[in-house]
Amino acid sequence: MQTLDLADIELREMNATLHAQAETTNQTAWEIVNPKGAHAIACGIDAPIEVTVKGSTGYYCAGMNKQATINIKGSAGPGVAENMMSGKVIIDGDASQYAGATGHGGLLVIKGNASSRCGISMKGIDIVVHGNIGHMSAFMAQSGNLVVCGDAGDALGDSLYEARLFVRGSVKSLGADCVEKEMRPEHLELLAELLEQAEADAKPEEFKRYGSARELYTFKIDNAY
């Protein structure tokens, strides 16, 4: 395993080293020590490598990730896995605001709780939260799946498009155009797969599904002025 110590090198040098890894690299395992809450750790990686961050991180850790598996052995600041394209990001602790925002693909696993706006404007990413999520989560979420093993805060799925939301606990309130929907066999199958990938101790049958009522983005002549 290759070790990058942020007590000895600059953040830019550390990220440049990870960016230099190619598709065919034989240096597939990396660890980052002494992160000390630094921002933009392990951003923009585009290689099939595994990176372990030994501690908590600041803003935008693992942003724009492609292919890599990034393990955060602590908590993550705002915007973790923002605009993620593929790969996997696992957070052992909690995540701050807008985790997984605008994510296009891949899997984000938060083993603690997530703050407000989790999955905002998600565009294909899968997010599994073992704990609770805050208010305005999945706001304007377009596609992908948000799975919450705990409770959800106010205005869940406000202005939702076609993302699927699964919540095991209570929902404080639903946002505009978000409604509870039938849980069909294909949803149970999908949910079982995501829970297994995220190593979440929950059963698909314990969840409710929420989605768009499709009223906000359907043109109606009565709404025209």
Side-chain angles (χ1 to χ4, degrees):
M1 179 178 288
Q2 314 296 309
T3 298
L4 299 170
D5 190 342
L6 283 176
D8 297 330
I9 63 173
E10 295 293 327
L11 177 68
R12 184 181 295 272
E13 180 184 349
M14 180 271 295
N15 277 331
T17 301
L18 297 177
H19 292 169
Q21 303 310 304
E23 290 268 356
T24 56
T25 181
N26 59 3
Q27 296 180 329
T28 57
W30 295 79
E31 67 174 5
I32 299 169
V33 299
N34 292 312
K36 298 179 181 177
H39 304 319
I41 291 175
C43 279
I45 300 175
D46 186 6
I49 62 175
E50 183 164 0
V51 179
T52 300
V53 183
K54 296 291 189 69
S56 296
T57 67
Y59 284 74
Y60 300 117
C61 180
M64 300 178 290
N65 185 57
K66 289 180 72 175
Q67 302 190 71
T69 297
I70 300 175
N71 304 282
I72 302 170
K73 301 298 183 180
S75 294
V80 64
E82 188 264 349
N83 205 35
M84 180 174 169
M85 304 303 286
S86 63
K88 190 174 183 179
V89 176
I90 307 107
I91 304 165
D92 282 355
D94 299 323
S96 190
Q97 302 176 77
Y98 41 91
T102 73
H104 286 251
L107 174 65
L108 169 61
V109 179
I110 301 167
K111 294 189 175 180
N113 302 308
S115 187
S116 60
R117 298 174 176 83
C118 179
I120 185 173
S121 195
M122 51 194 282
K123 297 176 173 67
I125 190 175
D126 292 323
I127 303 174
V128 181
V129 182
H130 288 214
N132 308 318
I133 60 172
H135 67 271
M136 292 293 290
S137 290
F139 172 61
M140 293 188 70
Q142 295 170 36
S143 64
N145 301 285
L146 172 60
V147 179
V148 183
C149 297
D151 302 327
D154 275 319
L156 176 69
D158 190 87
S159 304
L160 187 69
Y161 287 84
E162 293 302 309
R164 291 175 290 265
L165 316 180
F166 302 95
V167 182
R168 183 169 65 163
S170 63
V171 176
K172 193 167 184 181
S173 68
L174 295 175
D177 212 38
C178 184
V179 295
E180 184 177 346
K181 293 198 166 186
E182 177 189 7
M183 183 77 87
R184 298 195 297 269
E186 63 265 31
H187 302 122
L188 292 171
E189 183 178 349
L190 168 67
L191 190 50
E193 182 180 344
L194 289 171
L195 290 169
E196 182 179 3
Q197 290 178 18
E199 299 180 342
D201 185 18
K203 298 177 181 178
E205 296 80 8
E206 299 170 340
F207 290 76
K208 292 181 178 179
R209 179 171 76 98
Y210 302 89
S212 175
R214 302 187 176 96
E215 293 292 326
L216 284 180
Y217 65 88
T218 300
F219 176 76
K220 293 184 177 180
I221 189 63
D222 292 339
N223 295 332
Y225 292 98

